[in-house]
């Protein structure tokens, strides 16, 4: 059914508050949910709302805690989520990080000890909206095996980059596919393409159930694995949060807090930045069918939501 994105945000906030989140924290998460839906990123939208609510009720995520922001060095801002949601921690830390980047030319924002941030691009686009280039990294529960292996070591470990003025925006996992696509294929009784995952013996598989018992593989083989390791080093090592190996399933109803990290680099563009980007954009535009990722993308005001999913979300909001 067709649903206005504004209504998605309202229902998501109501559901989160009904399950124990404070109004401000719930509003920040609901904004991210609605934004994901507005750009067709359904895996990071309403698909996650039930999990958020369940883990609020079980105490796996703290929906009441206030993030703590510190600046140990001029170009270093740290937002401690205190085992709460990532979105409120980022919101609290972003103004200082922007100011630091403008003063120093570059700054970093580490979001530590947070629940899954879900859509990483939601955060880097806010950096770009401030006129800065934003690059972000995060880790997740272990689902990706090393090249030639059969056991998961790192998460899907997304990387995102956003450039001011709609110049460029991309957000993707360093695995061959997001884990949600495997679980959705299993639920739908569908097979998956070869190259997405291996089974428990390390053999390529088209069976989503076998894939869930095995591991995902990296995008681009060992090259994608390298990017996944880079995200792991920055998201865990530079924030003091846990390694992917030490996070249980992101959607399990209870257990230890996720304790994940996100690491953002904010850079002030130089005088020639726009011209250099335009040079690349023009070369791409000259080729029929080619495009710059995310260039001049526009959010939808109304989106299709499966009837069953929308009914479930509305039920969560009235609990």
């Amino acid at each position: 059914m067709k649903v206005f994105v504004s209504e998605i945000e309202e229902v998501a906030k109501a559901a989160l508050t009904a399950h124990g989140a404070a109004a401000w924290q719930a509003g920040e998460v609901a904004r991210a949910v609605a934004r994901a839906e507005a750009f067709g990123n359904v895996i990071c939208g309403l698909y996650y709302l039930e999990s958020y609510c369940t883990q609020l009720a079980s105490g796996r995520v703290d929906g009441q805690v206030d993030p703590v922001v510190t600046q140990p060095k001029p170009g270093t801002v740290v937002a401690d989520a205190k085992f709460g949601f990532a979105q409120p921690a980022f919101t609290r830390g972003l103004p200082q990080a922007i100011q630091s980047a403008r003063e120093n030319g570059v700054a970093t924002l580490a979001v530590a000890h947070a629940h899954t941030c879900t859509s990483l691009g939601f955060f880097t686009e806010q950096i770009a909206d401030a006129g800065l280039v934003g690059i972000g990294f995060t880790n997740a529960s272990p689902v990706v095996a090393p090249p030639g292996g059969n056991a998961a070591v790192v998460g899907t470990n997304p990387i995102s980059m956003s450039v001011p003025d709609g110049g460029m925006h991309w957000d993707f996992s360093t695995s061959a596919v997001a884990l949600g696509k495997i679980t959705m294929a299993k639920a739908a009784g569908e097979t998956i393409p070869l190259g997405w995952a291996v089974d428990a013996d390390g053999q390529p598989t088209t069976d989503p159930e076998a894939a869930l018992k095995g591991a995902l593989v990296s995008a681009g083989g060992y090259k994608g694995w390298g990017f996944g390791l880079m995200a792991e080093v920055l998201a865990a090592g530079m924030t003091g949060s846990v390694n992917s190996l030490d996070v249980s399933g992101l959607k399990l109803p209870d257990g230890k807090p996720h304790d994940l990290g996100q690491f953002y680099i904010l850079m002030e563009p130089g005088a020639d930045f726009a011209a250099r980007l335009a040079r690349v954009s023009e070369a791409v535009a000259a080729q029929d069918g080619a495009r710059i990722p995310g260039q001049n993308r526009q959010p939808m005001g109304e989106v299709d939501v499966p009837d069953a999913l929308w009914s479930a979300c509305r039920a969560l909001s009235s609990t």
Side-chain angles (χ1 to χ4, degrees):
M1 64 182 299
K2 288 284 189 181
V3 181
F4 287 109
V5 172
S6 58
E7 188 176 1
I8 288 174
E9 185 170 348
E10 291 170 3
V11 167
K13 182 177 180 180
L16 293 164
T17 53
H19 286 80
W24 175 71
Q25 287 87 337
E28 291 298 308
V29 179
R31 188 163 62 92
V33 168
R35 189 72 174 172
E37 291 287 345
F39 284 107
N41 184 4
V42 295
I43 290 176
C44 293
L46 289 170
Y47 177 72
Y48 248 96
L49 185 60
E50 182 179 7
S51 174
Y52 289 150
C53 291
T54 299
Q55 293 178 16
L56 279 166
S58 71
R60 194 175 182 199
V61 59
D62 189 338
Q64 299 277 335
V65 69
D66 279 321
V68 176
V69 179
T70 57
Q71 191 165 354
K73 293 186 177 181
T76 304
V77 177
V78 179
D80 188 346
K82 298 278 187 181
F83 303 129
F85 288 110
Q87 292 85 355
F90 180 87
T91 295
R92 282 283 171 83
L94 183 60
Q96 279 184 239
I98 290 172
Q99 181 179 350
S100 179
R102 288 174 177 163
E103 291 173 351
N104 299 289
V106 63
T108 61
L109 170 58
V111 175
H113 313 303
H115 204 63
T116 177
C117 71
T118 321
S119 173
L120 189 61
F122 171 74
F123 304 93
T124 58
E125 71 177 1
Q126 295 179 62
I127 297 172
D129 286 344
L132 304 170
V133 176
I135 305 178
F137 309 84
T138 190
N139 59 345
S141 55
V143 292
V144 180
N150 69 321
V153 175
V154 301
T156 55
N157 289 15
I159 299 174
S160 178
M161 180 177 183
S162 300
V163 174
D165 301 320
M168 181 188 303
H169 174 88
W170 48 259
D171 173 13
F172 55 75
S173 62
T174 53
S175 57
V177 67
L179 180 64
K181 290 194 175 181
I182 304 284
T183 57
M184 290 173 77
K186 179 184 175 182
E190 299 172 349
T191 59
I192 59 173
L194 280 173
W196 278 16
V198 294
D199 62 20
D201 296 321
Q203 298 301 311
T205 182
T206 61
D207 180 356
E209 187 169 355
L212 292 171
K213 293 177 180 178
L216 302 183
V217 298
S218 298
Y222 70 90
K223 296 181 180 180
W225 172 250
F227 280 113
L229 288 177
M230 178 175 66
E232 183 76 17
V233 168
L234 295 174
M238 296 297 288
T239 69
S241 305
V242 298
N243 285 103
S244 293
L245 282 166
D246 300 316
V247 183
S248 57
L250 297 184
K251 299 186 80 173
L252 292 179
D254 49 27
K256 292 181 179 179
H258 290 175
D259 196 10
L260 293 167
Q262 297 94 48
F263 190 76
Y264 302 94
I265 303 171
L266 300 80
M267 297 169 283
E268 188 172 45
D272 295 332
F273 179 84
R276 297 293 179 268
L277 183 60
R279 177 80 174 90
V280 176
S281 297
E282 289 165 4
V284 172
Q287 303 176 41
D288 289 340
R291 65 183 182 88
I292 295 286
Q295 190 172 52
N296 300 318
R297 67 191 188 125
Q298 295 295 323
M300 296 177 286
E302 191 177 25
V303 298
D304 282 312
V305 178
D307 291 351
L309 177 59
W310 186 237
S311 295
C313 292
R314 289 183 63 86
L316 288 168
S317 69
S318 59
T319 299

